Amino acid sequence: NGGLVNNASSNCFIVDNPEQLTSEVSPCDVSTPYQHRFRLNGSYDLPWYGLLVAGVYQDLPGPLIVANRVYTSAEINAQATGALGRPLRNATRTIDILEPFSMFGDRLRQLDLRVGKLFRVTGGRFQFNVDLYNVLNGSTPTFIRNTYTAPGAVTTTPWLQPTQVQDGRFWKFSLQCDF
C-alpha cells in the first residue's frame, strides 16, 4: 500500500492565546514535506518441485525528529530580553526548538522473502512455508528520544537515542492445512 504523507496547518489566525503566537521557534504556518512510501510485493510459482516464492520490499519514511526542551519559569525570566516579569502559569514550558518537520530519521528499508511447498493429499492439502524477515538485517531506529538536553548536561536519556529499532533478521516456519 503506497502513498504519501503531506499536509499543512495554519494557526496564524489565533490571537487570543499568547502560547500560540508566531515566533521563530514555532511558526504559525506549517507545511509537512512530501515523504514517499514505496512497497513492492509479488509471488511466483516455480516450474519445478511445486515451489512458491514470494517477496515484499518496503521503503518507508523515517521518524520525525523534534528537540523538545523543557524551560522553567526561572530560566525564562532570567533572560535579558523576552522575560515575562511573572511566573509561568505552569512550573515549566516545553518548546520544540527545531523548525517543525525539518528533520527526519533514516528511512526504513526492509526485504521479506517466503518459500513455500504445496502437498496435495486425499481430502486436503498442506502448505509448508519458510519465511525470512528483514533479509538485509537493517537496524534502523523506528522511535527515537525527542527530549533535548543542553550540551554538557548530565542525563541518562540523551537526545536522538533510539528507543526502538527495526526487528533483526529472523526465520519463521509455518504449516497451513486445508481440508
Side-chain angles (χ1 to χ4, degrees):
N1 204 10
L4 61 95
V5 175
N6 191 1
N7 61 14
S9 66
S10 177
N11 293 327
C12 298
F13 60 89
I14 298 173
V15 293
D16 58 350
N17 187 346
E19 291 184 4
Q20 293 182 340
L21 291 175
T22 303
S23 70
E24 293 286 324
V25 177
S26 303
C28 65
D29 194 14
V30 177
S31 180
T32 307
Y34 172 78
Q35 298 250 342
H36 73 276
R37 297 168 181 262
F38 176 76
R39 290 187 175 106
L40 177 68
N41 59 24
S43 64
Y44 184 72
D45 288 318
L46 294 175
W48 57 90
Y49 305 113
L51 292 176
L52 166 76
V53 293
V56 176
Y57 176 76
Q58 56 185 346
D59 186 329
L60 306 174
L64 174 66
I65 295 176
V66 298
N68 291 329
R69 170 76 158 89
V70 178
Y71 291 94
T72 64
S73 186
E75 287 177 302
I76 291 173
N77 283 323
Q79 301 298 316
T81 60
L84 292 174
R86 61 170 176 77
L88 291 173
R89 183 181 55 171
N90 298 324
T92 61
R93 175 78 167 113
T94 302
I95 297 174
D96 181 5
I97 58 178
L98 292 177
E99 181 180 340
F101 301 104
S102 63
M103 291 181 65
F104 293 89
D106 294 336
R107 295 187 63 81
L108 184 135
R109 293 177 173 96
Q110 183 171 329
L111 175 65
D112 302 328
L113 298 175
R114 167 180 275 191
V115 176
K117 170 73 174 149
L118 183 64
F119 299 96
R120 295 188 190 277
V121 293
T122 305
R125 65 183 196 160
F126 299 91
Q127 183 170 346
F128 177 72
N129 299 309
V130 177
D131 297 312
L132 179 57
Y133 293 96
N134 195 6
V135 173
L136 306 174
N137 204 24
S139 59
T140 305
T142 54
F143 291 98
I144 55 173
R145 191 168 309 280
N146 289 319
T147 303
Y148 180 81
T149 51
V154 178
T155 181
T156 58
T157 58
W159 183 52
L160 299 182
Q161 177 186 31
T163 57
Q164 184 177 352
V165 296
Q166 185 178 357
D167 292 332
R169 180 186 308 133
F170 67 95
W171 294 88
K172 181 177 90 170
F173 300 93
S174 62
L175 178 66
Q176 177 180 336
C177 304
D178 295 325
F179 298 101

